[in-house]
Amino acid sequence: MANMIPDFTESQLSQIESKGEVQVYRALKEGLPNSYYVFSQVAWILKRENEEAQDGETDFVIVHPNFGYLCIEVKGGGITFDAATNQWFSTDRYGQNNLIKDPIRQAQKAKYSIRTKLFETEEWKQFGGKKITNGHAVFFPDIRDPKLLERPDMPADLIGTNNNLADIKKWVEDCIDFWTDDDQISAPIGQKGLDIFKKVFAKSFSIKPLISSSLKMEEEARLLLTNEQVKVLDILRKKRRVVVSGGAGTGKTILAVEKAKRLAREGFSTLLTCYNRPLANHLAEICKDTDGLTVMSFHQLCYTNIKEAKEMSGFDLLEDAKKTYPGEDEFDVQLPNALACSLDIITDRYDAIVCDEGQDFREEYWLPLELMLTDEKSSPFYIFYDDNQNLYSRVSTFPIAEDEIYPLLRNCRNTVQIHKASYKYYKGDPVEHSNLDGLELQFEDAININNQAIRIHSRIQKLLLEEQVESSKIAILIVDAKNKRGYLQALEKHPLPKGHHFSDIEQRSDSSVLVTTVNKFKGLESEIVFLWGMDSIDIQEHREHLYVGLSRAKSILVVFGNEQTCSYFQTE
């Protein structure tokens, strides 16, 4: 059986329009021994100096190491040649004549074009550029007598017909003998020449898309999912007091922003607040062009109001709170109480409040927020929260009835693989994955921080230089927050190319690769996340950090650590 390139299945053969080609294909495959290579549907483009490139194709090229190559042009149906007009016709089973190209000229032209194409390649030149035995022939599988078609430029020996299908090996050998010269001016192609021929005319390749391109395609699919999720707000538009819950990636922050913008556009003086300062900075940036919308973290809000109250009255409400609640935590107790007291001095109120990251708000926070509303009972108040993502150990009782809680049940951020990895650490209402198929989790194990930093640096260089990924799409998240500086210093020993550098979230710029803690990155997301800094901690005690850190990755997630750390995730 011959080596067929390509080796079509019966299903693929049934899709080929020319049934004559299919007949010859099957005959060659079954009738020739495996020392023959049969290339079908061969095409090329030739370089031409000072003129346009010339393309061409032929039905079959038969190659044998002890010969060279034979080009065969196949024409099915009946055949008619009109000498007066020099036109060829193929006659179908209904007796209709269809104008076709001159098959003899096609085969001859293919023979010379293939030779030219081989000589264009550097490998063939290195091979010696020698003249290889070659020839051309035609095959008419639906007629029986080749002598009827014989002409000076195509002897009967080079015309295959239906009679030759049963013993096509003999016909091919006769064609080869016809073209083999006795004086050995041309040489056989040999195995090396055959390998070059295959590389030129049947090159296989597999090229993965740039990661930057894959990220873009995934983001387009993610946008469709998110748009579907936003429809939840249409369902809840008549509700004034609502709690929306959902796991990581279900679009809570996107919905919070969209709701705040809608309220502001409807004429409500609106506050959008959250617990995490970096998240608040991010939200402020994307909402900066929305009139009537104020964005601040809860503690920014506290400091702003306390300062304004002091300017208006001369009272330092934070100092008063410290005296009233001595020994209590400033952020958890003293600031919220000072904020509540400031509202006795400041009369401005918000018509609506939208709160993201509600799971991180202590019970003491809700009273001053309610007091900041124009109407404490009926002004719009939306809270978005993840009951599994309680990094700061908050135990909150939302100031909204339990029957006004609406769950989000589909992840529209993470790929399926990242969803499965992060939701191992989730407890709550079942959340469906996004159906966005992506890469499996990747693991890089090295013995210590310095060796791990080398691995991270190597990965980032490849992403920036080879994969054309923007630095803003990469985040290195550290679980061991206490030792963050040590991790950053280990990375800074290895400069990044093209003016890029490592930075924490407060100094982040267009040219920086982010290195920050899981805590600081809470509520945010990145296309690519490197999760690091778990060798020195008890992973079991940081399961909530793992849930948050893993789920920040939208498309690609790589875990860095020692062998034990990587094994934990691979066997968890």
Side-chain angles (χ1 to χ4, degrees), residues 527-545:
E527 282 78 1
I528 301 172
V529 166
F530 293 169
L531 194 62
W532 193 24
M534 291 164 283
D535 296 347
S536 57
I537 64 171
D538 185 335
I539 295 181
Q540 285 291 341
E541 293 182 1
H542 288 76
R543 293 177 68 86
E544 288 183 359
H545 287 80

Side-chain angles (χ1 to χ4, degrees), residues 166-183:
D167 191 4
I168 204 165
K169 178 175 178 290
K170 183 180 183 308
W171 179 79
V172 170
E173 289 175 345
D174 289 344
C175 291
I176 289 175
D177 288 341
F178 182 93
W179 291 108
T180 302
D181 52 46
D182 295 329
D183 54 10

Side-chain angles (χ1 to χ4, degrees), residues 17-37:
E17 185 176 349
S18 172
K19 301 311 173 187
E21 282 185 44
V22 174
Q23 289 183 76
V24 176
Y25 182 97
R26 290 195 177 107
L28 291 170
K29 182 176 182 177
E30 298 296 330
L32 294 179
N34 63 7
S35 55
Y36 284 89
Y37 287 78

Side-chain angles (χ1 to χ4, degrees), residues 336-362:
N337 278 279
L339 173 61
C341 292
S342 73
L343 299 175
D344 292 333
I345 301 169
I346 301 171
T347 57
D348 290 339
R349 297 291 186 267
Y350 291 103
D351 299 325
I353 293 177
V354 178
C355 173
D356 193 22
E357 297 184 301
Q359 71 278 357
D360 295 325
F361 281 50
R362 284 179 62 98

Side-chain angles (χ1 to χ4, degrees), residues 409-456:
L409 302 177
R410 184 159 191 198
N411 185 336
C412 55
R413 173 202 295 155
N414 311 122
T415 62
V416 173
Q417 291 80 357
I418 295 171
H419 172 93
K420 290 179 179 178
S422 57
Y423 270 76
K424 289 179 182 178
Y425 307 99
Y426 171 82
K427 292 181 180 179
D429 291 324
V431 175
E432 296 180 13
H433 60 65
S434 62
N435 283 327
L436 290 172
D437 192 33
L439 297 175
E440 294 294 334
L441 267 66
Q442 301 169 49
F443 300 91
E444 286 272 9
D445 66 271
I447 193 168
N448 56 37
I449 289 177
N450 289 324
N451 288 342
Q452 291 161 16
I454 292 172
R455 298 280 185 91
I456 292 173

Side-chain angles (χ1 to χ4, degrees), residues 91-155:
T91 307
D92 61 26
R93 59 181 176 172
Y94 302 108
Q96 295 293 320
N97 283 340
N98 300 294
L99 182 65
I100 59 174
K101 293 180 180 179
D102 180 343
I104 299 171
R105 179 166 173 73
Q106 278 186 285
Q108 184 184 48
K109 187 176 179 181
K111 176 178 68 175
Y112 294 124
S113 294
I114 285 176
R115 185 178 65 184
T116 301
K117 189 64 186 177
L118 287 172
F119 274 90
E120 285 181 359
T121 65
E122 194 61 37
E123 286 178 300
W124 191 263
K125 293 174 184 176
Q126 293 174 2
F127 179 50
K130 58 186 179 179
K131 184 179 179 182
I132 298 299
T133 303
N134 57 57
H136 67 277
V138 293
F139 210 109
F140 304 102
D142 296 320
I143 66 172
R144 301 186 67 82
D145 189 356
K147 293 186 186 242
L148 296 174
L149 298 167
E150 189 175 22
R151 45 188 274 174
D153 58 351
M154 184 56 62

